[in-house]
Amino acid sequence: MAFDIEMIKEVYARFPERIAAARKAVGRPLTLTEKILYSHLSEGEVSQAFERGKSYVDFQPDRVAMQDATAQMALLQFMQAGRDRVAVPSTVHCDHLIQAEVGATKDLDKAKDKNREVYDFLASVSNKYGIGFWKPGAGIIHQVVLENYAFPGGMMIGTDSHTPNAGGLGMIAIGVGGADACDVMAGLPWELKFPKLIGVKLTGKMSGWTSAKDVILKVAGILTVKGGTGAVVEYFGEGAQSLSATGKGTICNMGAEIGATTSIFGYDQKSAAYLEGTGRADIAALANEIAAHLTGDSEVYQAPEKYFDQVIEINLSELEPHVNGPFTPDLAWPISKFAAAVKENGWPAKLDVGLIGSCTNSSYEDISRAASLAQQAVDKKLTAKSEYTITPGSEQVRFTVDRDGFLDTFGKMGGVVLANACGPCIGQWARHGADKQEKNSIITSFNRNFAKRADGNPNTHAFVASPEIVTALAIAGDLTFNPLTDTLLNEEGQSVKLDEPKGLELPTKGFAVEDAGYQAPAEDGSLVDVIVDPKSERLQLLESFPAWEGVDLKGLRLLIKAKGKCTTDHISMAGPWLRYRGHLDNISNNMLIGAVNSFNDQTNHVKNQLTGVYGEVPATQRHYKQMGIGTVVVGDENYGEGSSREHAAMEPRFLGVRAILVKSFARIHETNLKKQGMLALTFDNPADYEKVLEDDSIDIVGLDSFAPGKSLQVILHHADGSSDTITVNHTYNEGQIEWFKAGSALNLIKSGI
């Protein structure tokens, strides 16, 4: 039987009534997204229609999921909330702190020893507050959630940007910061601006080398990394129904790379088959009873232009395999044009490493299709020219594909199986030689490929493709190889061609596992102690941020004017810094060290206006804080794209940055800044970015009448005595302004307001 089945029954029991009320309030047929959102309002039945992209709405999610790197800060905040137990089903998954170096067993053993203090903390705090705990080695949060917790029509938030993976099973699943998770676990409503809707109509049916991954690679090329911001992407059509549930999960997972709030598919026979195959036939039976409510109304899909803000149509029968990159996940290349792009751009054609797996592509179907190519390499006497790694998504998948012989097949090809963890996908990769910073190419079936993300080397050209394409190119060792048309010379000097990959959506013998890695919490956690050593380098109890002083902010200094792409990886790097995710003071030493200073095109090198000396960003900011001087960070477009990590908002807040002023924000990061009591501002005229000078003193005025929809003024006092007054905008509503005034949203929770 499934986890939390009684909760799911309650959700389904209220669906018909709430959806009927929503349809009446809106006055038209509903998309699937609208059905789920309107049925999860904290107020209960809807009393009014909400305006997409404008209305702030309070929701009541069904569950919360956290990974170990973000769970530390989320649970440190929850410990301050004054609650005895979480109000909704919640889980912690230990997947981010395991570094890939040698292989699964040794890497996992090393991680358990190295991270023992953090794992013990997470296990004990989970035990105390009624949170399910998935031990290190159990798998990556999104795959484990899809296998155990995702259910059609549900609503979940998770402290990871790829939480939308659960949309593959028809769930509205949204990535958030830890403060949002804290709110929901404390039983409070969760606020979201009612999203816009992008419809993607899939026609035809895939075959051959094309996979579900190619759908989202194509969509990323169309919408770019910010084209989905503020929107939910809803997939529909006959083509959608032909995709496996895990294939749909892959598409929804990587929807984070277009900035989408989340992505979703409707419930269908593929969904039911996956639920049944993962031991949840009881949920499938319940979903079948209300199947009409778990997809959009037929009128919507017959005339989608009337109901979506944007419609994209993709014919799966014509879709080519894609390779995206380097350095950004939206630079999309059909495989037929990729070789020419490699040559024309001077990218390293020699492929050093191919990596498959991760939360994006680690299903049984993915592994089996990749293994069919590995078997061909063995049978056709081809030796893989590149290094090759496999990252299973969960212990259940790993155990099953091992039982079915796929891991042995990869081993014969020279592949190395890594632990069931994020590993290289998030920079947890002890890649030998990366410190030399040599120009090279890798290709992965992961979701992100920002510079330095995988191995810390800014000269690593990382490309993203399906596991099938990654495997084929690893066999060839050459990025210009097109497996659809080209041949390879085998060990006997014969010219051979790879056949189309074959695989199975679900194992014919069913899934199997000896120890999935789950640890249930205590029924009564009142006697459980959670101890944090005050001398710890990895864990630190939180202190409240100070409330707003009640006056305009004057005499602020410019800390950095970031140039170009500034993701949460640039603001708060992962990799080796993950060890400090539970210690705000220590991890703040990585604040903005990856951002490019527009005044000198260097990273981690900014001018201290008090001394005139250039130094590291965190050290410079600590000096300003010591002197009681607040600062401003200025940024470019889509500032804070990428991961949901709230450390990118908490670190500037902790070190005394008062405002972030940019051309535009990524959704999650803007919310995280608001939650921590920061000012998140945007230029009314993006060209005013150029007016900000290195030695500026900055005033932010109009805060005495801070109100929704009312602009503020920023005065830039230049070193030559001149000044510029510019208009800046914000998206704060009344409640969010109270967060700012109180110093943080958590301060309001603690005060009982």
Side-chain angles (χ1 to χ4, degrees):
M1 189 176 80
F3 285 97
D4 309 308
I5 190 67
E6 294 304 318
M7 177 269 285
I8 296 171
K9 288 179 179 178
E10 291 178 10
V11 172
Y12 284 177
R14 65 176 184 247
F15 250 55
E17 191 173 295
R18 290 197 176 185
I19 290 174
R23 197 177 283 116
K24 182 178 180 181
V26 174
R28 56 168 174 75
L30 300 175
T31 64
L32 170 61
T33 302
E34 290 170 316
K35 288 182 179 182
I36 299 176
L37 291 177
Y38 277 113
S39 65
H40 281 85
L41 300 177
S42 63
E43 67 183 69
E45 274 192 30
V46 61
S47 57
Q48 62 175 359
F50 298 109
E51 190 173 356
R52 297 176 191 168
K54 292 188 177 181
S55 300
Y56 279 97
V57 183
D58 285 339
F59 294 99
Q60 199 66 55
D62 301 313
R63 64 179 314 111
V64 173
M66 298 164 280
Q67 40 94 336
D68 51 355
T70 53
Q72 295 171 65
M73 199 58 70
L75 293 174
L76 285 166
Q77 292 177 84
F78 182 76
M79 289 169 65
Q80 294 188 325
R83 304 297 197 267
D84 295 328
R85 195 173 181 88
V86 292
V88 301
S90 303
T91 52
V92 167
H93 305 259
C94 295
D95 60 0
H96 271 55
L97 301 180
I98 303 168
Q99 188 176 49
E101 184 174 10
V102 180
T105 302
K106 290 184 178 180
D107 291 347
L108 181 57
D109 288 343
K110 184 176 180 179
K112 288 179 178 178
D113 181 60
K114 184 178 180 181
N115 303 311
R116 189 174 307 280
E117 178 185 18
V118 172
Y119 292 148
D120 287 348
F121 165 73
L122 292 174
S124 63
V125 75
S126 297
N127 201 27
K128 182 174 183 64
Y129 293 109
I131 299 168
F133 181 71
W134 290 82
K135 296 178 286 187
I140 307 174
I141 176 173
H142 313 302
Q143 182 66 26
V144 173
V145 165
L146 195 70
E147 293 174 3
N148 295 277
Y149 298 113
F151 67 96
M155 185 177 192
M156 175 180 73
I157 61 169
T159 60
D160 190 283
S161 58
H162 294 105
T163 299
N165 191 81
L169 267 181
M171 192 174 206
I172 289 287
I174 301 175
V176 299
D180 281 338
C182 179
D183 285 357
V184 175
M185 289 189 293
L188 302 176
W190 175 64
E191 182 185 75
L192 177 72
K193 184 181 289 185
F194 204 85
K196 293 184 178 180
L197 300 178
I198 298 174
V200 179
K201 182 179 181 180
L202 301 180
T203 61
K205 188 175 183 179
M206 293 184 308
S207 62
W209 285 89
T210 307
S211 74
K213 182 65 164 275
D214 298 306
V215 175
I216 186 57
L217 295 177
K218 172 80 171 178
V219 170
I222 295 170
L223 290 177
T224 78
V225 291
K226 57 184 268 187
T229 302
V232 172
V233 182
E234 183 172 323
Y235 293 83
F236 62 93
E238 61 176 355
Q241 295 181 17
S242 71
L243 300 174
S244 67
T246 51
K248 293 169 184 171
T250 291
I251 293 169
C252 293
N253 177 299
M254 200 173 159
E257 274 38 85
I258 57 173
T261 301
T262 193
S263 302
I264 193 169
F265 284 80
Y267 178 73
D268 56 26
Q269 288 303 310
K270 298 286 189 179
S271 312
Y274 186 73
L275 287 169
E276 292 165 357
T278 51
R280 293 174 288 170
D282 45 357
I283 296 180
L286 292 171
N288 287 336
E289 294 178 4
I290 61 164
H293 298 308
L294 299 176
T295 186
D297 288 336
S298 59
E299 298 93 330
V300 170
Y301 299 148
Q302 289 167 6
E305 294 79 8
K306 293 182 180 180
Y307 302 96
F308 292 97
D309 298 289
Q310 181 180 356
V311 177
I312 297 168
E313 185 168 339
I314 297 173
N315 185 340
L316 299 183
S317 300
E318 300 174 354
L319 181 64
E320 275 190 69
H322 275 59
V323 180
N324 286 24
F327 306 128
T328 185
D330 60 349
L331 188 58
W333 303 98
I335 192 69
S336 61
K337 297 180 180 179
F338 182 58
V342 171
K343 296 172 185 175
E344 290 170 8
N345 290 282
W347 300 327
K350 177 180 176 292
L351 180 62
D352 282 10
V353 192
L355 307 97
I356 70 165
S358 85
C359 67
T360 324
N361 280 103
S362 56
S363 66
Y364 187 89
E365 180 180 25
D366 290 327
I367 299 297
S368 65
R369 281 173 63 85
S372 75
L373 293 170
Q375 186 62 54
Q376 286 188 56
V378 174
D379 295 342
K380 297 184 179 185
K381 297 181 172 55
L382 291 167
T383 301
K385 299 296 190 297
S386 305
E387 292 182 34
Y388 183 72
T389 70
I390 306 95
T391 303
S394 70
E395 175 58 14
Q396 178 168 272
V397 167
R398 188 212 64 79
F399 190 94
T400 305
V401 297
D402 188 23
R403 178 201 67 189
D404 293 348
F406 297 144
L407 298 188
D408 284 341
T409 301
F410 289 130
K412 292 175 183 176
M413 194 187 86
V416 175
V417 179
L418 301 177
N420 312 323
C422 300
C425 185
I426 59 162
Q428 282 285 51
W429 185 18
R431 186 184 180 190
H432 306 296
D435 55 327
K436 297 178 183 177
Q437 300 201 349
E438 294 177 345
K439 191 175 180 181
N440 73 102
S441 289
I442 66 173
I443 189 166
T444 80
S445 68
F446 306 161
N447 40 47
R448 292 201 175 123
N449 59 340
F450 304 138
K452 300 192 286 187
R453 179 174 172 87
D455 62 3
N457 179 1
N459 297 312
T460 293
H461 292 57
F463 298 88
V464 179
S466 68
E468 299 92 320
I469 294 297
V470 171
T471 304
L473 294 187
I475 293 170
D478 184 354
L479 284 181
T480 65
F481 173 67
N482 182 349
L484 282 70
T485 58
D486 299 346
T487 59
L488 295 169
L489 283 179
N490 68 9
E491 298 168 6
E492 298 176 351
Q494 298 172 325
S495 181
V496 297
K497 189 173 185 292
L498 294 173
D499 300 323
E500 295 175 352
K502 305 291 184 183
L504 297 168
E505 292 182 12
L506 295 167
T508 55
K509 299 177 184 177
F511 284 105
V513 67
E514 289 182 351
D515 179 8
Y518 176 70
Q519 179 177 299
E523 289 291 331
D524 179 7
S526 60
L527 299 179
V528 177
D529 292 325
V530 179
I531 300 173
V532 175
D533 184 348
K535 298 180 181 179
S536 172
E537 292 186 349
R538 300 195 61 176
L539 296 166
Q540 179 187 49
L541 294 176
L542 296 175
E543 295 183 4
S544 300
F545 290 134
W548 173 54
E549 303 90 335
V551 297
D552 288 340
L553 303 180
K554 296 185 176 182
L556 306 176
R557 303 302 173 100
L558 175 70
L559 175 61
I560 186 172
K561 180 179 173 181
K563 177 182 178 180
K565 187 183 285 286
C566 193
T567 71
T568 48
D569 279 271
H570 295 86
I571 304 167
S572 175
M573 289 184 177
W577 290 96
L578 285 171
R579 64 180 281 104
Y580 299 121
R581 282 286 181 86
H583 197 294
L584 185 54
D585 192 12
N586 284 345
I587 198 170
S588 292
N589 288 322
N590 79 356
M591 185 191 73
L592 285 160
I593 64 175
V596 176
N597 183 353
S598 67
F599 298 110
N600 57 22
D601 287 333
Q602 296 184 48
T603 58
N604 204 22
H605 197 64
V606 297
K607 185 176 182 179
N608 184 327
Q609 292 188 33
L610 304 182
T611 65
V613 176
Y614 284 82
E616 297 178 347
V617 180
T620 303
Q621 180 58 38
R622 286 184 186 275
H623 186 229
Y624 285 133
K625 181 179 181 180
Q626 182 182 6
M627 302 304 293
I629 297 173
T631 59
V632 176
V633 170
V634 173
D636 214 317
E637 295 283 5
N638 208 30
Y639 183 88
E641 73 172 272
S643 168
S644 69
R645 66 191 66 153
E646 66 180 341
H647 297 77
M650 296 185 77
E651 291 172 33
R653 181 73 170 102
F654 175 73
L655 291 182
V657 177
R658 300 304 301 269
I660 311 292
L661 172 59
V662 301
K663 293 180 182 178
S664 64
F665 283 106
R667 175 191 64 84
I668 299 177
H669 188 62
E670 182 181 22
T671 300
N672 287 344
L673 290 169
K674 292 178 180 180
K675 284 279 185 175
Q676 301 303 334
M678 291 278 282
L679 279 175
L681 308 173
T682 56
F683 292 100
D684 182 63
N685 179 4
D688 287 341
Y689 169 91
E690 302 299 337
K691 294 180 179 178
V692 180
L693 303 181
E694 189 172 31
D695 293 305
D696 281 352
S697 174
I698 303 171
D699 300 338
I700 301 175
V701 299
L703 290 173
D704 56 341
S705 57
F706 193 14
K710 185 176 181 181
S711 298
L712 299 172
Q713 301 295 311
V714 166
I715 304 173
L716 304 171
H717 299 280
H718 306 309
D720 64 1
S722 65
S723 66
D724 281 299
T725 299
I726 62 175
T727 299
V728 297
N729 301 322
H730 64 85
T731 60
Y732 289 76
N733 60 25
E734 292 286 1
Q736 294 168 347
I737 290 173
E738 292 306 311
W739 299 344
F740 168 73
K741 291 179 177 179
S744 72
L746 183 59
N747 286 354
L748 283 182
I749 296 177
K750 290 195 294 184
S751 68
I753 296 176

